[in-house]
Amino acid sequence: MKIVVLNGSPRRHGNTEIMAETFKKGAEKNNHTVKILNVASMNIKGCQACKYCYSHGGQCVIDDDMKNVFNELKDADMVVFASPVYWFDISAQLKLVIDRLYAGGSTGFNFNKTALLLNAGADHVFTAAIAQYKAMTSYLKWEDMGIITVPNMEKKGSMTSCPQLDEIRKLGESLK
């Protein structure tokens, strides 16, 4: 299975990246191929709602790094959305990518399995991000393979000693 992890954290080597790498190691134990895309470092603009994609086979009119994301997604079997929670929701960088998935909605997606990995510096801040993810998976009929939230990650790297890392690794290992 080819799995693409969309890492929406702008912080390199931070808690979200640790989550993504841990998931990757678990999935690779079952010989899955995992590609982590650090979308926060890519040049991705917001959707213009021009609907060009609907009359051009899913091709977006915007020429930016989203074409690289679509290239990775075209033969993916699963997508993992990984993000820190900023101001009660996923990062703006990951939200840009999700909004641009609109172009793929015009033709459909190859993948139908997804998962969500979230972390935050506080507790009880995951509701909006989870609601968006659930609405998206329901609408697109994607199979949710798991949602893991990790609260109270106040310092960069604090994820390394977090007990939920085992749960994240096991999620990757559980995939068939």
Side-chain angles (χ1 to χ4, degrees), residues 47-61 102-103 106:
C47 178
Q48 296 177 357
C50 65
K51 292 204 174 203
Y52 179 90
C53 56
Y54 272 71
S55 60
H56 291 85
Q59 182 182 353
C60 184
V61 71
Y102 182 78
S106 68

Side-chain angles (χ1 to χ4, degrees), residues 19 21 42 53 63 69 97 111 118-119 144 146 149 161:
M19 292 171 70
E21 290 291 340
M42 295 178 170
C53 56
D63 184 21
V69 175
V97 172
F111 64 90
L118 298 171
N119 71 89
D144 170 34
T149 59
S161 60

Side-chain angles (χ1 to χ4, degrees), residues 82-101:
S83 181
V85 172
Y86 293 157
W87 204 243
F88 306 98
D89 209 344
I90 61 171
S91 69
Q93 294 86 347
L94 184 56
K95 181 67 168 94
L96 279 172
V97 172
I98 289 171
D99 286 353
R100 291 284 297 283
L101 289 179

